[in-house]
Amino acid sequence: MPPIETILAGFADAFTVLNLAFVIMGVAIGQFVGAIPGIGPVMAMAIAIPFTFSLSPLVAISFLVGINKGGLFGGAIPAVLINTPGTPDAAATAFDGYPLAASGKPRKAAKMALYASVTGDTFSDLVLIVASAPIAVLALKLGPVEICAVMILAFAVIAGLVGDSLLKGLVAAFLGLLMSTIRLDPEQFSPRFDFGYFQLYDGLDLVAVAVGMLAVAEIVRRIATAGGPPMPAATPQIDTRAAKTVSWAEYWSCRGAMARGALIGTALGALPGIGSTAAAFMSYAATKRTDPGGVPYGQGNLKGIAATESANSAVMGANLIPLLGIGIPGSVSAALLISAFVIHGIQPGPLLFRTQGELIYGLFGAMLMANLCNLLVGHLSLRAWTTAVKAPASLIFPGALIFCIAGVYLSSGGLFGVAVMFISAAVSLVLTGAGIPVVVLLIAFFLGRRFETALSQSLSILNGDPKNLVQHPVALILLALSVVLAVWMARRR
Amino acid sequence: MDGGRDPAAASLSPAAGRLVGLAVLCLAGLLWFGLIPAQIEFYDQGFMRPQTLPLICAGGIGICGALLVLFPGGQMGRSDPREVLRGAGVLALCSLAVWAMGYWGFLIVAPVLALILALGLGERRLFWLAIATLALPLAIWLVVEPLLGRALP
């Protein structure tokens, strides 16, 4: 645990005018892109990373966190207004959000989504602030053998939970690890898979691969499938104060739904691999079962909106618990934050609390600030985002693609990186077509270098003999747990 | 983007599932017998050699592929052949644009790429075409070159 002066200095760093300006900008961009179906906060984060090069690490990461948090609420806007979720995790928000909007209360529905999102997110951030440092202290007691076992456990859990087939998840994990070996071998310094390109000696550019697999693949898919049914028209608005606002009594009546959602979202978010979509649906189902309200669910019940939005937003903060505690990203957005850390020369993991305590507590301060900004920007800009919902695809997707090209050119320093981005997009499209989860591949790719180092150190410590694992009971338990969980998840499928 | 199921996914028939498994198995074979020996210099000293992790991965992929052939399951993306062709066309166009940027630069190629994509998306309104083609690439150029002080191709 860092000394109190470091913690206070970190929070002081967060509350500067420059940081505040970038957090507000990030939140506004996040809400804007979240409101456009097809461009989610993850894609926006991937595109924005290269543009943060010239910023200080704290400002850059705060900006990205702002985008992510803004996008969590932004996705609810089209779900409420046109019954088309901007992000997958807002799908359950449409169940009650759209009927409420259709009854002439779109702003009430969107504001309830905003308040619930900020409530769930703040709760999750507080849990992160309290829990991550003790977990990091525990993680620092682990040796290379145990770290290697933790990573294998994480791969097994992520492969089993993401997507719908454990085997395909494992294929994705192995492919990700294999992609991370495209570089000079760390011990013999001999090139691997360089195909005659010296640019590959240092490995595939993290940002180029992430932007290609997440953003460009999605843009290409959207362009290829364009010409579907036209968007439904936005709903009319009843012009009374009660229809436009959420009163304190209405907010308070949803406290149980929000608390349940925040708890479910935080618990699921802390486990690597379980996304916000699952949390939102689980929270909605739990609230529907245990908390019958006046208005039936599915017909515009505020509790339905509160339950889903608090849960999907609570996942974000909790996702950073495994990232900051043990250095393992629990989601793609957390993996993207890893690449932001890495391009600023910072290695994520438990040592961060010792070596970069001020930065970490600065990040925590920025996260809390971003929640407040989310509330204010959401309140002030709701009308503007309803216009964004109607932006034509012919503007959004070519624009996003050119942003990707410019961003990756900047991050990789040449057109080679842009080519890697398009190859990654093609690979992502093929894998998605075969039902192989790209998210697992990316997380394994991000962790690949650390895994190879840990495996190498473990083999040296064990003298190349697996029998020596008996001297490492924690690693043995973790490995056994990996096998048990993998078998259990495979049988459940 | 997360653990949720893809809404555009369709349940896999056993035959299609086996086909995916077979493709994965072939990939593993290609890696084990072709790419890894050709692209990695094999060492036989030390516990962790350059080929160790790639071989572990290829072996893992092969085992999973074989198991997928035996126990097919899961879902796969729903794909219309016309959409697949259209996607491949977009990627080919982008690759061509990257190559062209090396010769003529971002400011010439990006607007042309944006125009082709916007037209391909069915946009015929001059206002939106002008925004997509001229305003967006110019805005990106203004942010990157004068504001950030970085060079674009």
Side-chain angles (χ1 to χ4, degrees), chain A residues 164 168 171 174 185 187 192-195 223-226 275-277 394-395 399 401-402 409-410 422 433 435 463, chain B residues 2 12 39 43 47-48 50 60-61 64 75-77 83 86 94 98 110 114 117 121 123 128 131 136 150-151 153:
Chain A
D164 52 15
K168 288 182 180 174
V171 169
F174 283 122
D185 169 65
E187 294 195 359
R192 294 185 296 193
F193 303 112
D194 67 323
F195 298 93
I223 293 175
T225 56
S276 42
T277 311
S394 56
L395 176 69
L401 191 66
I402 291 171
Y409 181 85
L410 292 181
F422 282 116
N463 211 15
Chain B
D2 62 10
L12 206 57
Q39 291 291 327
Y43 283 73
F47 297 121
M48 192 73 181
I61 292 169
C64 292
Q75 296 187 325
M76 63 191 296
E83 287 172 5
R86 222 172 124 102
C94 293
V98 173
L117 290 176
L121 281 163
E123 186 58 76
W128 290 115
I131 298 248
L136 270 175
R150 305 283 301 274

Side-chain angles (χ1 to χ4, degrees), chain A residues 444-462:
Chain A
F445 172 66
F446 281 124
L447 285 176
R449 286 182 184 227
R450 282 186 55 210
F451 179 73
E452 190 168 14
T453 307
L455 185 64
S456 171
Q457 290 169 338
S458 305
L459 287 172
S460 297
I461 290 168
L462 298 173

Side-chain angles (χ1 to χ4, degrees), chain A residues 42-43 50-51 53-54 88-89 161-168 170-171 173-175 177-178 180-181 185 187-196 214-216 218 220 222-227 273-278 331-332 391-403 405-407 409-411 413 415 418-419 422 425-426 429 432-436 439 448 451-453 455-456 459-460 462-465 493, chain B residues 1-7 9-10 12 17 20 24 27 31 35-36 39-41 43 45-61 63-65 67-69 71 73-79 82-88 90-91 94-95 97-103 106 109-111 113-115 117-123 125 128-129 131-133 136-137 139-140 143-144 148 150-153:
Chain A
V42 174
M43 193 195 287
F51 292 94
F53 264 128
S54 46
D89 42 60
L161 290 176
V162 179
D164 52 15
S165 158
L166 172 73
L167 289 172
K168 288 182 180 174
L170 288 174
V171 169
F174 283 122
L175 281 174
L177 284 177
L178 190 72
S180 75
T181 65
D185 169 65
E187 294 195 359
Q188 312 289 347
F189 301 103
S190 69
R192 294 185 296 193
F193 303 112
D194 67 323
F195 298 93
L214 298 174
V216 178
E218 186 61 28
V220 171
R222 291 278 171 167
I223 293 175
T225 56
I274 307 180
S276 42
T277 311
S331 66
V332 174
S394 56
L395 176 69
I396 300 299
F397 296 116
L401 191 66
I402 291 171
F403 252 111
I405 293 173
Y409 181 85
L410 292 181
S411 88
L415 286 173
V418 182
F422 282 116
L429 287 168
T432 309
I436 294 173
V439 173
F451 179 73
E452 190 168 14
T453 307
L455 185 64
S456 171
L459 287 172
S460 297
L462 298 173
N463 211 15
D465 187 356
R493 303 270 181 212
Chain B
M1 299 285 174
D2 62 10
R5 283 175 183 232
D6 179 2
L12 206 57
V20 171
V24 171
L27 174 70
L31 284 166
L35 270 179
I36 293 175
Q39 291 291 327
I40 298 177
E41 196 180 336
Y43 283 73
Q45 283 177 335
F47 297 121
M48 192 73 181
R49 301 159 196 173
Q51 71 272 22
T52 307
L53 190 55
L55 284 176
I56 290 174
C57 293
I61 292 169
I63 292 168
C64 292
L67 288 172
L68 274 170
V69 173
F71 311 106
Q75 296 187 325
M76 63 191 296
R78 207 183 289 147
S79 49
R82 271 183 308 179
E83 287 172 5
V84 173
L85 274 179
R86 222 172 124 102
V90 172
L91 277 174
C94 293
S95 309
V98 173
W99 172 81
M101 268 182 204
Y103 288 95
F106 179 85
V109 178
L113 175 66
L115 178 66
L117 290 176
L119 287 171
L121 281 163
E123 186 58 76
R125 292 166 294 181
W128 290 115
L129 279 176
I131 298 248
T133 307
L136 270 175
I140 294 168
V143 168
V144 174
L148 294 177
R150 305 283 301 274
L152 280 170

Side-chain angles (χ1 to χ4, degrees), chain A residues 107-109 111-112 115 242 244-248 250-251 302:
Chain A
R107 271 201 233 164
K108 183 191 272 286
K111 281 182 180 168
M112 189 66 237
Y115 300 152
K244 287 180 183 173
T245 56
V246 176
S247 67
W248 170 254
E250 285 171 322
Y251 174 81
L302 281 176

